[in-house]
Amino acid sequence: MPQPGDEITGITGPYPPVMSRESFAEWIGVSDGVVRGWVERREIPTVKVAKRRMINVLAFVQMVQEQDHD
């Protein structure tokens, strides 16, 4: 069953709720440095898990879908 955002990302299947910055960069096809900049400028949603800052994938997919409809 397609998940929200499949038509945007081209990736099917369930999404993990969070990803490391490195995994997220690979998943969307940009460099880790680009994602690091987005995180530092608070352009993508993150959540702190223990001592690590993780990308909030579910919130990111929702954010992209909302921008796509504007």
Side-chain angles (χ1 to χ4, degrees):
M1 176 175 189
Q3 297 293 312
D6 288 346
E7 66 279 355
I8 296 166
T9 64
I11 299 172
T12 59
Y15 302 116
V18 297
M19 281 187 192
S20 69
R21 190 182 69 221
E22 299 83 3
S23 295
F24 183 78
E26 184 177 330
W27 183 59
I28 64 169
V30 299
S31 73
D32 179 55
V34 168
V35 176
R36 183 176 44 242
W38 291 342
V39 169
E40 290 171 358
R41 292 187 302 274
R42 298 182 178 167
E43 294 178 2
I44 59 175
T46 62
V47 62
K48 194 160 187 177
V49 177
K51 294 184 178 184
R52 294 195 64 189
R53 177 70 49 189
M54 306 289 284
I55 307 302
N56 184 333
V57 176
L58 297 176
F60 172 79
V61 170
Q62 183 178 10
M63 179 183 80
V64 170
Q65 287 178 323
E66 288 171 359
Q67 288 179 355
D68 191 45
H69 290 107
D70 288 344

